Amino acid sequence: MDILLLNGLLFFLKHVVPDLSGWAGNYANEFWIVCNLSMILAQVRYSTIIHLRLISGGHILRQVVSLTVMQTVIAYLIMKTVDIDIAVGWMLIKIGCLQIALLTTLRFIERNAVKQLRSLGKNTRVITYAGIDSEIQNLHDKLTNDPTLGYRVRGYYADEKEADDNVQKMAEHMGVQRLGTLAELTEAAESNQSINLGDELYVCIPRSEQDAILALSHYCDTHFVRFYYLPPSSERLGIRFKRELLDDIELYSNHAMPLEGFINKSVKRAFDIVFSTVCLAACLPILPIVAVIIKVQSPGPIFFRQKRTGINGKSFMCYKFRSMHVNSDADTMQATKHDKRKFPFGSLMRKYNIDELPQFWNVLIGNMSVVGPRPHMELHTKTYSELIPKYLVRHFVKPGITGWSQVTGFRGETKELWQMEERVKRDIWYIENWTIWLDIRIMWMTLKSLFVHDKMAY
């Protein structure tokens, strides 16, 4: 499909773009051949990934962009090798931009078709669990809540000692049946009996059961079953380890932070400067309008200034359009859904994130980033750092205007402690898994929320 799309695009451009249609016959033919050859070579590294079940739209977009960039570079180098004087640079860039748009559209059409097929019960994967645990329950919810992923669970194996009330409740929640004991499963695997495990086996038993784990792994390897090991909740340390090597000795540190690297930090900062400059320039025309409405509806300053906790625990002055009447609780109380301190236009600004626009100034001067953990008021930093052990880890990077927590359902007021714990967990995940593509994905999800209203936006 990619090759067909590329050739269709080249055929179209040949008849509408003067630079290409005016080429001599040999150059046009060489260009056509080189574009196809470079696409084939680029596909070796960046082939389509729509068939993967647990793949995000952001990953698909990144794969398309990487494929097109590599193809463009390869085609340029080959054409320059053929004739260094031929002007193909801008032509390839134009083709690349069009190709990104077309390939992205094609990928998502194909992906939607695959999802619809799976939702109808086709192209499914049958899975079995060995062991029953809260980690298995979380995995089960992830795999089965979305029918378009195409997972069907055959059942689970668990020993008698595991079949207590808590296990029964988890099994009932998941809606899966018990197929037998772990001892029976292990014995059948060791004796190479025929076991119907489906396509994938997820094993969640203690590492102390090494013999059982190895027997099940060996059985899967010899019977075309994919084997996965999931540490049970009792053995999870709650730490993300970063693997390092000291000659032939493996070491693990407790935090992997991509933004510690100079190149990653420079890329993120450059992106912040460019994006915040463009946004501030775009905001200038609406500034007088916003200022007048704020003044009419609520006497006081146009901007709200508050000390927030930034990178490495350092405080900075955060700017917003004022959305509440001037009050003495601003530094101690979060905004609530029916907060009487808000005036009408303030509520509208908060609903559509207009009040956050001045924070692009914070980004430009380096106090914040476009994407990162949201900065909290100093009182909340002091309070939650005493209640949540890993709370301060979220300050290892600059705070952001938007963040992973905000686009995944943990925005706004935190009425209960678990809500802040989940926000911190997601902030730390972002810190440890940062890529520029993740930032772009979060920005896209934030943009979508402007059109699909977030019920937590108040």
Side-chain angles (χ1 to χ4, degrees), residues 118-360:
R118 289 171 179 163
S119 66
L120 296 173
K122 308 294 184 181
N123 188 235
T124 57
R125 304 283 290 180
V126 178
I127 61 179
T128 302
Y129 304 131
I132 196 77
D133 185 87
S134 59
E135 295 298 324
I136 283 286
Q137 181 177 330
N138 293 335
L139 174 72
H140 176 83
D141 291 342
K142 177 76 172 178
L143 296 181
T144 61
N145 281 350
D146 184 355
T148 65
L149 294 178
Y151 283 101
R152 291 192 297 110
V153 181
R154 184 172 175 271
Y156 73 94
Y157 290 87
D159 286 336
E160 297 290 346
K161 63 182 180 180
E162 294 183 60
D164 55 21
D165 291 340
N166 190 40
V167 169
Q168 291 295 332
K169 289 178 181 178
M170 280 191 282
E172 290 173 5
H173 167 80
M174 294 189 294
V176 294
Q177 62 176 337
R178 187 163 176 262
L179 303 174
T181 67
L182 282 171
E184 292 170 346
L185 175 63
T186 304
E187 183 180 348
E190 289 175 338
S191 59
N192 204 30
Q193 298 176 24
S194 178
I195 316 171
N196 184 8
L197 296 176
D199 301 297
E200 299 175 2
L201 175 67
Y202 291 85
V203 177
C204 186
I205 58 179
R207 289 184 179 88
S208 58
E209 303 290 335
Q210 183 178 2
D211 291 341
I213 296 172
L214 291 175
L216 294 173
S217 174
H218 177 71
Y219 181 88
C220 290
D221 287 343
T222 56
H223 290 80
F224 302 104
V225 178
R226 295 293 300 273
F227 174 90
Y228 296 96
Y229 178 73
L230 181 67
S233 56
S234 60
E235 294 188 355
R236 291 186 69 87
L237 299 176
I239 300 174
R240 179 184 174 88
F241 286 115
K242 177 185 177 183
R243 181 174 178 267
E244 298 178 1
L245 289 176
L246 180 62
D247 291 332
D248 59 343
I249 300 175
E250 289 188 11
L251 300 174
Y252 293 86
S253 59
N254 68 335
H255 285 293
M257 291 187 288
L259 284 172
E260 286 185 332
F262 174 76
I263 294 177
N264 288 344
K265 192 182 298 184
S266 300
V267 168
K268 187 171 176 65
R269 181 58 184 152
F271 180 84
D272 284 343
I273 291 173
V274 173
F275 193 83
S276 61
T277 300
V278 171
C279 288
L280 287 171
C283 290
L284 286 177
I286 70 168
L287 178 59
I289 301 172
V290 172
V292 169
I293 298 176
I294 291 175
K295 283 289 188 180
V296 169
Q297 292 196 356
S298 176
I302 298 169
F303 296 102
F304 173 69
R305 300 163 68 250
Q306 185 180 66
K307 279 192 173 182
R308 302 274 179 106
T309 308
I311 187 171
N312 296 324
K314 297 178 181 177
S315 296
F316 71 98
M317 194 63 69
C318 182
Y319 297 93
K320 300 176 68 174
F321 284 127
R322 185 169 58 85
S323 59
M324 294 184 174
H325 297 295
V326 177
N327 65 90
S328 59
D329 297 323
D331 293 331
T332 58
M333 184 186 299
Q334 285 183 313
T336 59
K337 190 169 186 178
H338 303 291
D339 204 316
K340 295 181 179 180
R341 296 174 297 168
K342 294 184 290 186
F343 51 89
F345 184 63
S347 296
L348 181 68
M349 286 195 296
R350 298 179 76 93
K351 181 177 179 179
Y352 292 103
N353 298 322
I354 298 172
D355 62 320
E356 309 282 1
L357 293 178
Q359 288 174 31
F360 283 111

